[in-house]
Amino acid sequence: MNIKQLKQKILNSKLVSDSFWAVFGNVAGRGLALSGAIIIARILGKDIYGEYGIVKSTLVAIAILSTFGLNYTATKYVAEYKNDAPGKLRLVVRVAQKMTLIVSSILALIIILLAPYIATYALEAPQLTFPLRLIGVFIIFDALTRTQIGILAGLGEFKGIAKINAMVGGLTFLVGVVLTYFYGLTGALIALLIVQIANCLLNSRLTQKKIAVFPAAEKNPAFAKEIMKFSLPVALQEAFYSVINWTYGLLLIKFSTYGEMGLYAAALHWNAVILFIPGVLRNVVLSHMSGSLKNVAEHTKILRTVLAFNFGITFTISILFFLFSSFITSFYGANFAGLGKVINITVFTTIFISMSNVYAQAYMSKNKNWLMLFFRIIRDGSIFIIVYILLSRNNGEEGALSLAYSALFSNILFLALMATIYEKKIKYN
């Protein structure tokens, strides 16, 4: 095959096309969002930014939980049925959105009612009661957005998702910086809510437009139960992930300081930069793997291609961020001293996260969700145990760095376990 033929083959590849649009729309959006996050961190300072970080992580954790795994379930079922059983597609969409709305609304109400207790006893910061109540509604819109993106990914509407992500990135920068400058922590949280509502409305409009061409939803209660049965282990994975990740922040607060929480939250923004390309490809990979279950060779080819790509992109960017960590830290100001050390560890964790995420989509495409739950319990539980031991031993010193080391070790173990079992037991089943 000559270069011209190879080029044409790449251009004609649906996987490449979908991946391009998934990445393209996030470049501008993620860049603007990161720039806004740096400015917000400088305005708030390390300690207040730590409060912002724990409130945001609390709400995002609950929003992830409230999707009940239906974002990934929607991607899988929509990708499978859009050609083979289009009459079932609207049923998938209806069930996914309805259940997400119900669960997220209940959890949002609980957060609003229990905000004083969470702020006082869990976060040890009574002043965060109003911020928690203020954007409890964020949970509903964030959960709906995740499910809508899952539906759109199953439809292969990555170009539309890309455009929305670019617009949301610009809005995040503009609204976030302005409101934080004038109203501090409260302004930053109000901006978070405004942007999430806009994101949800844009995705909802695109979703309704794209499913309008499919037949009306069939009445099939048994099928709705099937969807929920598939989602249950995914929901348990998300629940465990959400709760345990939230407790990492609690450990930093209780054994260290809000300043250490601020350092770790800032470092995670740079992790997100590295992981944004592999992250936006997760739904692309699941969509294509779900559509190639009957072709083992094609399924394996997709897996190998994405593994190689994820390793190459995350390793390259991680090295760059490692070399320039001191320069990156200078953006935040003197108040964020020590951030460079945390970045130096967390960036390499992304290599193992990005590759394990590919295997996660492979397991999900083959309905191995209960096995994935077991793996996640091992990974997230080991992070919790290791960071608890390190914080106790060091009397809370360098808490962010302790959490970074714990996450690195546990994600290496997670990837090794997933890859070994998949290659030896799952691949040909």
Side-chain angles (χ1 to χ4, degrees), residues 29 33 163-173 195-196 198-199 202-203:
K163 292 179 180 179
I164 292 174
N165 286 339
M167 288 187 284
V168 168
L171 188 63
T172 299
F173 178 85
V195 171
Q196 195 55 58
N199 194 0
L202 289 170
N203 278 290

Side-chain angles (χ1 to χ4, degrees), residues 244 248 251 378-394 399 401-413:
I244 202 72
Y248 302 155
L251 285 175
I378 292 176
R379 181 194 65 179
D380 298 336
S382 65
I383 294 175
F384 180 87
I385 293 170
I386 295 170
V387 74
Y388 177 79
I389 293 172
L390 291 176
L391 288 173
S392 300
R393 181 180 298 174
N394 300 329
L401 197 59
S402 296
L403 181 51
Y405 276 118
S406 303
L408 176 60
F409 174 81
S410 298
N411 276 287
I412 292 173
L413 174 65

Side-chain angles (χ1 to χ4, degrees), residues 64-65 67-74 77 99 103 224-240 364 367-374 376-377:
I64 292 173
L65 171 63
T67 63
F68 203 76
L70 289 163
N71 48 337
Y72 295 119
T73 300
Y77 275 94
M99 287 304 302
V103 177
K225 291 180 180 179
E226 177 187 334
I227 294 175
M228 300 309 296
K229 183 179 179 181
F230 178 89
S231 287
L232 178 59
V234 182
L236 292 176
Q237 290 179 44
E238 298 294 311
F240 187 79
M364 191 177 296
N367 294 344
K368 300 297 181 181
N369 295 331
W370 287 106
L371 188 56
M372 272 302 305
L373 173 61
F374 172 70
R376 283 199 170 187
I377 290 174

Side-chain angles (χ1 to χ4, degrees), residues 64-262:
I64 292 173
L65 171 63
S66 64
T67 63
F68 203 76
L70 289 163
N71 48 337
Y72 295 119
T73 300
T75 298
K76 174 179 168 56
Y77 275 94
V78 170
E80 286 185 19
Y81 292 144
K82 64 183 178 183
N83 295 320
D84 297 338
K88 294 182 178 180
L89 188 141
R90 282 203 185 187
L91 180 59
V92 174
V93 173
R94 186 174 66 190
V95 170
Q97 291 185 325
K98 183 177 180 179
M99 287 304 302
T100 300
L101 179 60
I102 292 172
V103 177
S104 62
S105 297
I106 292 172
L107 291 176
L109 181 60
I110 291 173
I111 286 295
I112 292 171
L113 293 175
L114 298 182
Y117 302 96
I118 296 172
T120 302
Y121 299 108
L123 305 183
E124 297 182 352
Q127 70 273 18
L128 295 181
T129 298
F130 178 69
L132 283 171
R133 281 178 166 168
L134 177 65
I135 58 172
V137 70
F138 169 92
I139 294 167
I140 300 173
F141 289 97
D142 187 75
L144 286 172
T145 298
R146 293 173 189 273
T147 298
Q148 290 162 351
I149 291 175
I151 294 167
L152 291 169
L155 291 169
E157 190 52 40
F158 297 102
K159 186 174 181 179
I161 296 174
K163 292 179 180 179
I164 292 174
N165 286 339
M167 288 187 284
V168 168
L171 188 63
T172 299
F173 178 85
L174 180 63
V175 177
V177 171
V178 171
L179 290 184
T180 303
Y181 180 80
F182 287 105
Y183 302 106
L185 176 61
T186 301
L189 295 174
I190 291 175
L192 198 66
L193 174 59
I194 291 173
V195 171
Q196 195 55 58
I197 292 174
N199 194 0
C200 183
L201 293 176
L202 289 170
N203 278 290
S204 177
R205 180 182 177 186
L206 181 60
T207 300
Q208 296 305 315
K209 178 181 178 182
K210 293 301 175 181
I211 67 171
V213 299
F214 290 92
E218 300 174 351
K219 291 184 178 180
N220 190 341
F223 182 68
K225 291 180 180 179
E226 177 187 334
I227 294 175
M228 300 309 296
K229 183 179 179 181
F230 178 89
S231 287
L232 178 59
V234 182
L236 292 176
Q237 290 179 44
E238 298 294 311
F240 187 79
Y241 173 82
S242 299
V243 172
I244 202 72
N245 271 268
W246 184 61
T247 60
Y248 302 155
L250 290 186
L251 285 175
L252 287 182
I253 293 168
K254 292 183 179 295
F255 286 89
S256 194
T257 64
Y258 267 100
E260 289 296 309
M261 180 64 202

